[in-house]
Amino acid sequence: MKPYRVLVVDDSAFMRKIISDLIENDANFQVAATAANGREAIDKVNELSPDLVTMDVEMPEMNGLEALKIIMAQRPLPVIMLSGINEEGMKETILALEWGAFDFIRKPSISNSQDIISVGVALREQMNEAMLARKQREARASSYKAPELPATDVPSVPESTQSPAKRIMEPIKKLPDPASKLVEKPKVKPEMNLAPDKSKSKSSPGRTAPESGSPQSGAKSAALPKPATEPFRNRSKEEAKPLIPDSKTLPQTSTGARNDPPSVAGDRKSSSTGLSKLVAVGCSTGGPRALKEFLENIPADFPAPIVIVQHMPPNFTKSLAQRLNTFSPLEVSEAEQGMILRKGAAYIAPGGYHMRVVPAAGGQYSIDLTLGEARNGHRPSVDTLFESILPYTSLERHAVIMTGMGSDGAKMMKSLYDSGVTSTFAESEETCVVYGMPRSAVELHCVRHILPLQEIAPRLVQAVR
C-alpha cells in the first residue's frame, strides 16, 4: 500500500522539520510537501491533493484558521491543527474544530525531547484515526449507492416520491419515528434501537420500569418538542458559592491555583434543591462541533443539569466552555471543585482532571475533581463520570455518548443500563467524525436510542420532560 501523503504547514522551518520527522516515523505516512503559511498551504493542497494536512494555528500572511475555512470549502480533507498553549491560540483552536478540523494537538516544546516524543505518538494516532474514518466514510458511501437496474425493470415513479434515504438504508426491522420529522436534518438512517427493551421487564432494586407512554418506555410520542431557537442573550451572572473544596483531591495546576468557580445565572428561576434528574455526556474527537449542535438545541428551562466529559488537554476546556456558552440557551461553564449542580446549566470537565458527581446537603449534588490515574488513556474519563452516577438510584439519569475514538464510556454505560437506566443515547455512524466510542456502546447492547447528531437533543428533551 502506498503511504498517505501529508502536507506540513508551519511558519517555523525548525518546527516543520520536527513535525515531518515525527510523521515519517510511521511508514504509512510520507511528507509530500511543506508550507510556511496558510496561503502556501491552499496552493499546495490544490496542486498536490494530499491525504492529510497538519496546520499551525498562528502564522503570518494567512493564519491556519483562515486557510482551514478555504480548504474545507474548496477541497475538504482531514486537517490536524497544531496549537500553542497561549489564550489566543486556544480560542482559535476551538474555532478550528468547530469549522471542520479533524482534531488538534499542542505544539511540542522544542527544548524537551520527551515532550516531542509524546506529541509524536499523539499525532500519529490522530493521523491513523483520520485515515480510518475516511475509509469508513468511503465504504459507507459506496454501500449507499443504489444498484443500477434496466429501465424496463423499474416502474416509473414521480421524482417527488423517490426518497434517496429509503433507497440507501440498510435493512432494519424498526420503522422510522414519524416524530423525528419535526427536526430538520439530512436524510440519514432512522433511529435504531439495538438494546434489549428493559422497560417491559420486572422492576428490580434500584430501578423503576417506566410507565406506558413515558419517554423512557420507548413509546412514540405524537409530537416532538422543537429545539430551542431563541438567540443567545447576555446574561447577568453572579459567583456561585461552592462547597468547601477538598485540598487533597484538587491539586494545583501547572499554571497555578485554579480560578474561582464559574458563574451561574443569578436570575435563574430553577433551583438545585432536591435535584431529581441528571444528564451525563461523553465525547472525544469531533466533540466540540457535536457539543455545539447538541447544547444550542437544549432549552434554557431544561429541568436537569448536564455534566460533560470532552477529551481535551488542560486549559483548552475553559476556552471550549466559553465558546459553547455563547451558543447555548443553557449556562455552560468549565466545572470547578465543589460547584453545586443546577438545572438549566452544563458543566464541562476541565482537561487533566477526572470529574465525578457527589451528593451534597439538601438533596443537592456537586462536582468533585481529582487527579487519579488516566482511565482508558484519558483524564478526564467518560467511564469515571458515568461510574460516579451509578449509585444514585433516586435520580432519573440519562447517558449520552457522541463521536470519539476509542471506547471510553461504553463499559459504564453498560453498567448503568444493567442497573435500570434505560434512557441511553449514542450518536449514529452517519454523523460521527469518528465512530469509536458510540460503536463500542452499541456493541455492548446498552443503547436505547441510536440517533444522528441533530436528533439527539430533541429526543433527550422529550425524555427528560
Side-chain angles (χ1 to χ4, degrees):
M1 184 189 79
K2 290 184 178 180
Y4 296 111
R5 301 164 70 248
V6 183
L7 173 65
V8 175
V9 186
D10 199 292
D11 61 324
S12 164
F14 186 50
M15 187 59 70
R16 291 197 298 271
K17 172 62 175 170
I18 290 176
I19 298 302
S20 297
D21 289 346
L22 293 176
I23 289 170
E24 293 191 336
N25 280 339
D26 187 330
N28 291 323
F29 295 90
Q30 178 184 56
V31 175
T34 63
N37 58 57
R39 198 171 301 283
E40 284 186 23
I42 294 168
D43 292 340
K44 290 191 177 182
V45 164
N46 290 328
E47 175 190 349
L48 302 173
S49 299
D51 298 297
L52 184 144
V53 174
T54 68
M55 180 84 72
D56 187 16
V57 174
E58 299 179 78
M59 294 180 291
E61 192 168 340
M62 178 183 284
N63 66 26
L65 201 57
E66 294 170 333
L68 172 72
K69 290 173 69 175
I70 295 171
I71 290 170
M72 298 309 289
Q74 295 180 352
R75 192 186 290 267
L77 78 166
V79 178
I80 296 174
M81 307 300 293
L82 273 72
S83 172
I85 59 173
N86 62 321
E87 185 175 356
E88 189 61 29
M90 288 187 287
K91 287 180 179 178
E92 291 187 340
T93 298
I94 299 303
L95 282 174
L97 296 174
E98 187 181 310
W99 292 347
F102 178 79
D103 210 334
F104 78 98
I105 59 169
R106 59 175 181 79
K107 296 181 81 168
S109 169
I110 59 176
S111 61
N112 187 331
S113 60
Q114 191 59 43
D115 188 52
I116 292 173
I117 291 171
S118 64
V119 167
V121 170
L123 175 59
R124 290 188 293 272
E125 179 184 14
Q126 288 187 12
M127 293 191 306
N128 279 289
E129 285 291 339
M131 293 299 97
L132 177 60
R134 189 183 76 171
K135 278 185 176 180
Q136 291 172 341
R137 283 194 301 272
E138 289 172 349
R140 188 165 66 247
S142 177
S143 68
Y144 283 172
K145 290 181 181 178
E148 294 185 6
L149 298 175
T152 54
D153 294 341
V154 182
S156 177
V157 181
E159 184 178 349
S160 61
T161 66
Q162 294 178 340
S163 169
K166 291 182 180 179
R167 291 199 304 271
I168 63 177
M169 269 195 304
E170 296 175 5
I172 54 174
K173 294 188 177 181
K174 188 171 181 179
L175 294 175
D177 181 359
S180 66
K181 293 182 179 179
L182 295 179
V183 184
E184 186 178 347
K185 60 185 182 296
K187 294 182 179 180
V188 294
K189 289 186 287 186
E191 174 191 353
M192 293 179 288
N193 179 355
L194 301 185
D197 188 353
K198 299 187 131 194
S199 61
K200 298 180 182 178
S201 62
K202 212 170 170 184
S203 296
S204 60
R207 66 188 265 197
T208 303
E211 295 178 3
S212 175
S214 70
Q216 294 193 31
S217 69
K220 301 299 177 186
S221 171
L224 192 62
K226 293 183 179 180
T229 56
E230 61 174 338
F232 170 75
R233 60 192 182 282
N234 291 326
R235 312 173 185 86
S236 59
K237 300 185 178 184
E238 63 180 15
E239 191 171 71
K241 301 293 184 181
L243 299 180
I244 299 174
D246 183 352
S247 60
K248 293 182 180 179
T249 62
L250 187 60
Q252 302 293 311
T253 66
S254 59
T255 57
R258 293 195 60 81
N259 295 330
D260 291 335
S263 303
V264 176
D267 60 350
R268 186 167 300 285
K269 295 180 181 179
S270 58
S271 167
S272 59
T273 305
L275 200 66
S276 61
K277 301 177 181 183
L278 178 68
V279 175
V281 178
C283 49
S284 184
T285 308
R289 216 174 354 161
L291 287 172
K292 177 181 179 292
E293 169 74 24
F294 174 74
L295 290 173
E296 68 184 1
N297 288 302
I298 303 290
D301 62 349
F302 192 65
I306 301 177
V307 284
I308 300 166
V309 164
Q310 160 68 51
H311 296 158
M312 194 169 271
N315 303 315
F316 285 89
T317 43
K318 185 173 183 179
S319 293
L320 174 64
Q322 290 171 344
R323 177 68 177 166
L324 292 172
N325 191 50
T326 66
F327 292 106
S328 178
L330 304 177
E331 292 288 336
V332 184
S333 59
E334 185 185 53
E336 294 282 351
Q337 175 69 14
M339 288 185 75
I340 297 295
L341 298 183
R342 300 182 184 277
K343 302 170 187 176
Y347 306 85
I348 296 179
Y353 288 87
H354 287 308
M355 181 170 72
R356 299 168 60 248
V357 174
V358 296
Q364 301 180 108
Y365 292 84
S366 68
I367 297 292
D368 180 46
L369 302 177
T370 66
L371 273 177
E373 290 294 319
R375 187 168 181 177
N376 304 317
H378 300 286
R379 189 175 65 209
S381 164
V382 184
D383 267 334
T384 297
L385 174 62
F386 284 1
E387 185 178 46
S388 75
I389 68 173
L390 189 56
Y392 308 140
T393 56
S394 61
L395 275 180
E396 179 187 302
R397 294 154 294 169
H398 306 261
V400 181
I401 291 181
M402 297 191 292
T403 177
M405 64 178 74
S407 61
D408 190 26
K411 182 179 178 182
M412 284 300 114
M413 180 178 272
K414 172 66 171 172
S415 296
L416 285 168
Y417 189 84
D418 288 345
S419 73
V421 178
T422 58
S423 183
T424 53
F425 298 76
E427 183 180 353
S428 59
E429 185 176 3
E430 291 87 346
T431 57
C432 279
V433 173
V434 176
Y435 188 55
M437 290 162 54
R439 181 199 294 274
S440 297
V442 169
E443 289 176 349
L444 289 178
H445 305 288
C446 61
V447 180
R448 174 58 60 87
H449 306 288
I450 304 171
L451 297 164
L453 175 60
Q454 66 276 6
E455 292 186 27
I456 295 176
R459 188 60 61 85
L460 177 68
V461 170
Q462 183 186 39
V464 176
R465 295 288 191 196

